[in-house]
């Protein structure tokens, strides 16, 4: 038999994939909103901490180099 | 569950979401979570992982809310983000099994059957690059149209067809190495 005749056809491959990787059963009533809220809270808390550090750094910069204040105001 | 936000018109809801209102986001989340989750499951083929990816999708949606154009359909936008998240999850998963070669799957001499065959096919499939795996899962297993896959991936139909073609080629190559096919 010629090589091309032995080749797995696309339809055979699809069928093999479907058998090896069957559909995942879905839980229709799943409610992911509580997990979403936790994720939002975690991220908000993390951003708050970052914001505070950033604010501290900016404040320190302004205290140490007050000469840049007029330049910043001019840029604004 | 009805919320106050649901009494508003969809466009109004999406405008309020884009403005950062949490109750509008909750309404959109509840309205679209099942659809997004089902889409991600079709790509990842793993329920618990798909739940994590759904949360990550909506987190990205929430972060990108200011860029959302309320004149466009929220569901299509969400699906596109979900597809990108699913591909990121596939990449992370493939890094976890990096170093594992398809030829490591134990096979009996001669043609393999049933369980070994399914294991070999799963292994070959999981070794596809993430973008090809996503396209192959949607096209070859789920039989989604190329146009729908193209919209979700944000690429052309021709590019989708090319990915599917490359997936088939790589799968055939892997399965030949496993003696699943000549």
């Amino acid at each position: 038999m010629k090589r091309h005749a032995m080749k797995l056809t696309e339809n055979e491959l699809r069928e093999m994939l479907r058998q090896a990787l069957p559909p995942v059963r879905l839980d229709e009533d799943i409610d992911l909103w509580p997990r979403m809220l936790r994720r939002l809270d975690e991220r908000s808390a993390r951003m708050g901490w970052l914001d505070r550090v950033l604010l501290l750094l900016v404040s320190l910069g302004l205290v140490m180099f007050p000469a840049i204040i007029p330049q910043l105001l001019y840029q604004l | 569950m009805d919320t106050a936000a649901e009494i508003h018109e969809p466009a109004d809801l999406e405008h309020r979401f884009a403005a950062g209102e949490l109750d509008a986001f909750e309404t959109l989340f509840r309205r679209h979570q099942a659809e997004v989750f089902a889409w991600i499951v079709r790509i990842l083929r793993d329920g618990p992982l798909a739940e994590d990816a759904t949360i990550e999708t909506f987190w990205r949606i929430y972060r990108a809310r200011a860029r959302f154009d309320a004149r466009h359909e929220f569901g299509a936008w969400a699906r596109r983000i979900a597809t990108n998240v699913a591909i990121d999850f596939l990449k992370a998963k493939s890094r976890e099994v990096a170093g594992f070669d398809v030829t490591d799957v134990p096979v009996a001499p001669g043609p393999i059957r049933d369980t070994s065959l399914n294991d070999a096919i799963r292994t070959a499939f999981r070794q596809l690059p993430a973008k090809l795996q996503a396209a192959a899962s949607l096209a070859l297993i789920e039989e989604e149209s190329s146009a729908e896959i193209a919209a979700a991936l944000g690429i052309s139909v021709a590019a989708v067809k090319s990915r599917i073609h490359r997936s088939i080629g790589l799968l055939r190559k892997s399965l030949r190495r496993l003696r699943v096919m000549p």
Side-chain angles (χ1 to χ4, degrees):
Chain A
M1 193 183 293
K2 286 182 183 173
R3 185 177 173 81
H4 72 268
M6 300 280 285
K7 205 173 178 181
L8 196 63
T9 66
E10 190 178 317
N11 282 342
E12 286 169 336
L13 187 61
R14 282 173 187 266
E15 193 49 46
M16 286 168 82
L17 285 171
R18 275 190 215 111
Q19 279 181 20
L21 297 149
V24 175
R25 192 170 296 174
L26 300 180
D27 179 2
E28 299 286 330
D29 300 324
I30 192 165
D31 181 12
L32 295 172
W33 179 246
R35 279 183 64 187
M36 188 71 239
L37 268 184
R38 279 200 297 278
R39 176 74 178 267
L40 290 171
D41 289 344
E42 282 167 19
R43 296 294 176 137
S44 302
R46 199 174 301 170
M47 287 305 290
W49 180 81
L50 282 172
D51 286 346
R52 283 195 292 273
V53 170
L54 200 61
L55 190 64
L56 183 70
L57 287 174
V58 170
S59 306
L60 275 175
L62 292 178
V63 169
M64 289 169 73
F65 308 102
I68 64 169
I69 294 172
Q71 288 173 30
L72 280 175
L73 288 174
Y74 178 75
Q75 293 300 324
L76 289 173
Chain B
M1 185 178 69
D2 284 345
T3 65
E6 281 176 321
I7 61 172
H8 293 272
E9 289 299 312
D12 178 39
L13 176 68
E14 286 157 6
H15 276 298
R16 291 191 306 111
F17 155 70
E21 286 187 30
L22 189 62
D23 65 340
F25 176 57
E26 179 182 356
T27 304
L28 285 169
F29 181 95
R30 292 191 183 283
R31 217 171 259 182
H32 294 276
Q33 70 153 359
E35 186 192 329
V36 166
F37 177 64
W39 180 257
I40 291 173
V41 160
R42 276 178 229 157
I43 299 172
L44 297 180
R45 318 203 72 76
D46 178 327
L49 197 63
E51 286 182 17
D52 293 345
T54 302
I55 298 293
E56 176 63 25
T57 297
F58 278 98
W59 167 244
R60 289 191 195 179
I61 286 171
Y62 187 70
R63 264 192 331 187
R65 61 191 180 278
R67 293 200 299 273
F68 175 64
D69 184 344
R71 287 169 302 181
H72 295 131
E73 198 197 336
F74 180 87
W77 185 60
R79 179 177 281 197
R80 196 154 159 181
I81 293 174
T83 308
N84 288 332
V85 170
I87 289 172
D88 288 347
F89 272 58
L90 286 177
K91 283 179 186 167
K93 206 173 172 182
S94 71
R95 278 195 295 272
E96 281 173 22
V97 294
F100 180 78
D101 191 75
V102 70
T103 52
D104 293 339
V105 175
V107 287
I112 53 174
R113 291 276 177 266
D114 304 330
T115 313
S116 315
L117 175 65
N118 284 342
D119 286 346
I121 293 164
R122 270 194 292 274
T123 305
F125 186 77
R126 291 293 175 216
Q127 288 200 331
L128 289 175
K131 286 179 180 176
L132 298 190
Q133 205 179 127
S137 187
L138 292 169
L140 300 177
I141 305 176
E142 299 294 337
E143 297 194 317
E144 297 287 347
S145 69
S146 294
E148 196 153 4
I149 299 169
L153 288 168
I155 59 176
S156 67
V157 169
V160 169
K161 287 180 177 169
S162 163
R163 285 188 190 182
I164 296 166
H165 183 72
R166 280 163 59 208
S167 307
I168 291 172
L170 287 172
L171 283 169
R172 280 185 176 140
K173 197 174 165 187
S174 293
L175 295 175
R176 256 198 306 273
R177 286 167 68 192
L178 286 163
R179 299 193 301 277
V180 173
M181 57 174 282

